[in-house]
Amino acid sequence: MKKIRIRFFLGLSLLLAVSCFKDNDFAPAGGDSRTQSQPGRLPSEESRQVMIMYSAGFNSLSGALTMDLEELEKGFVPTARSREDHILLVFSRHTRASYSDPVAPVLYRLYKDRAGEVVRDTLLRWKPEDQACDPAVLEEVLIYARKTFPAKGYGLVYSSHGANWVPAKNSPQASVKSIGQDNDTDRVLEMELQDFVKSIPYKLEYVLLDACYMGSVEVAWALREKAGSVGFSPTEIMSDGFNYLTLSQRLLAPRPDALGVCQDYFAQYTQPGQSTPYASITLVNPGKMDPLADVCKTLFEKYRPQLASLNTSEVQRYFRRGLNPRFECFFDLRHMLEKAGASASEMEQVDEALGACILYEAHTDRFMSLELKHVCGFSVYLPSSGDEELSSYYKNAVEWNNATQLIK
């Protein structure tokens, strides 16, 4: 097994388009897409799905993420025989030897040719100094996908380091930030949650975050207008990540099966003989979170003094102590309200609202040294766990707080 690692998380000029592939001149029987064409237009918008695998691995996870892509190729890979075929796109920036050797991010299409061989057709290449965690790069990938491949739906699987909603601090030292990480020699650059959300230019059918700690009510709320479903983990994720052998088969279907992806993820860590039997996973419909925001706003106001003084040792946490102090503010939403003193009838309202938006939740009894006893599937910021600086950031920068006034 791979060792566990903590996943931290259109102004760019395109240097080179290696492949001249465009959807309307695709070769229906394979071969060179640059020279063959077919008249007319097939109704790809009625059935075709585009899956975008975004692998931001110019960091300590490079080896694990490279293996994920190798597993992806061993799973379902669509053919390229007509414009109705599903599209599997992979964005990749991984280390080669060291962080002092910059690597140009690339976007390629993965498909099988007529002989059944897997082909990596490079579509876009950026400059070596460009970052996978640059919101402009992510936005460019998503815009290119929709412009080049008309389809019924588009979805994003994002794999990298992750650390929820916490603020950005780009510095020579490794810092904690929300999504993605590029660990260049003299700096560590990452992407904040707000920038990640803004970089998504249209609504996706799903956003699956294969990154640690991303399973929070704050992340789900931020994506409510950008994704039909969101899959993530409130705890760490073992470096093997999702089940990439079954991932594309689940998602490249007329109706993508994000639930199946989450179930496969949990199953691979709970199968007999698993040496690292630790996992938590939540699938949520963020568009149905308004009732949860309403009830939380009422209870946050009613129990404000209690929330501010809660003993952190009494509330279910989602982090292992001693890894990084900036992780130590992720606690279970439901358990926090229960410990603050919410009544039985109020907790029934909370449970009803959680049930309306959470589509699936599963967790093992432990995540290594961390016991998981009171798990609703959402982490949340516990006010008594942070300092004045972190609470000020949360108050001014986190959309969930705008809706619920956890911090006033």
Side-chain angles (χ1 to χ4, degrees), residues 217-218 292-308 310 332-334 336-338 340 342 346 350 379-383 394 400-408:
V217 69
E218 293 92 350
L292 182 62
D294 291 341
V295 69
C296 284
K297 182 175 183 179
T298 298
L299 297 180
F300 290 167
E301 181 62 33
K302 181 176 180 179
Y303 296 103
R304 191 169 304 283
Q306 293 89 332
L307 290 169
L310 270 178
D332 187 77
L333 172 63
R334 187 187 188 282
M336 179 185 77
L337 290 169
E338 186 177 48
E346 289 169 336
V350 173
S379 72
V380 70
Y381 177 48
L382 178 61
Y394 192 90
W400 172 253
N401 192 69
N402 295 336
T404 62
Q405 299 294 289
L406 176 59
I407 303 295
K408 291 188 77 171

Side-chain angles (χ1 to χ4, degrees), residues 94-203:
H94 295 175
T95 55
R96 290 199 184 100
S98 70
Y99 299 139
S100 61
D101 181 19
V103 175
V106 296
L107 177 71
Y108 59 88
R109 180 183 179 182
L110 203 62
Y111 68 92
K112 284 186 177 179
D113 62 17
R114 286 189 292 182
E117 297 296 324
V118 175
V119 176
R120 292 187 179 188
D121 183 14
T122 300
L123 307 177
L124 301 177
R125 187 184 298 274
W126 287 261
K127 299 176 183 178
E129 60 268 27
D130 288 332
Q131 308 289 324
C133 64
D134 186 335
V137 173
L138 175 58
E139 182 178 22
E140 188 173 6
V141 168
L142 293 172
I143 289 175
Y144 178 87
R146 186 168 67 168
K147 181 179 180 181
T148 310
F149 303 102
K152 178 182 179 182
Y154 303 81
L156 175 68
V157 180
Y158 194 104
S159 182
S160 189
H161 281 302
N164 213 323
W165 52 267
V166 294
K169 288 186 177 180
N170 292 334
S171 69
Q173 291 76 36
S175 58
V176 174
K177 216 181 334 183
S178 59
I179 304 172
Q181 185 184 89
D182 287 283
N183 195 5
D184 289 287
T185 302
D186 58 346
R187 58 182 180 171
V188 175
L189 297 176
E190 298 154 327
M191 193 183 334
E192 288 197 8
L193 175 61
Q194 305 95 301
D195 294 330
F196 175 77
V197 174
K198 289 178 182 177
S199 69
I200 301 175
Y202 49 88
K203 188 169 182 177

Side-chain angles (χ1 to χ4, degrees), residues 258-273:
L259 173 60
V261 172
C262 294
Q263 292 172 331
D264 289 348
Y265 165 77
F266 190 70
Q268 76 173 346
Y269 290 103
T270 54
Q271 63 185 338

